[in-house]
Amino acid sequence: LTRKISSVGALVAAASSTIWAFVLGYGETVLLGLVLTLLVYWRHRANIARIRSGTEPRIGQG
């Protein structure tokens, strides 16, 4: 389960902002959103690996 993992929130927000830009017709923003989303995913690659292995800390864990 990926609840309470802030990295997941950042990844979902990055992807959904690009999707919503497309859905709402902001075509000139979609390319920028896509580039920024890919950058966010690239920067979070270590977090993604930890999420997949189940070792990513949850919010509130010390």
Side-chain angles (χ1 to χ4, degrees):
L1 211 36
T2 57
R3 295 182 352 201
K4 293 191 176 184
I5 300 176
S6 65
S7 302
V8 173
L11 296 169
V12 169
S16 67
S17 63
T18 302
I19 292 167
W20 278 108
F22 176 76
V23 168
L24 295 174
Y26 293 102
E28 68 281 355
T29 308
V30 172
L31 181 60
L32 174 62
L34 182 60
V35 169
L36 293 174
T37 297
L38 292 173
L39 179 63
V40 168
Y41 274 73
W42 175 255
R43 295 291 304 217
H44 278 80
R45 64 190 181 278
N47 300 57
I48 293 169
R50 286 191 301 270
I51 291 167
R52 293 175 114 182
S53 69
T55 59
E56 180 73 358
R58 296 182 184 276
I59 295 173
Q61 281 185 331

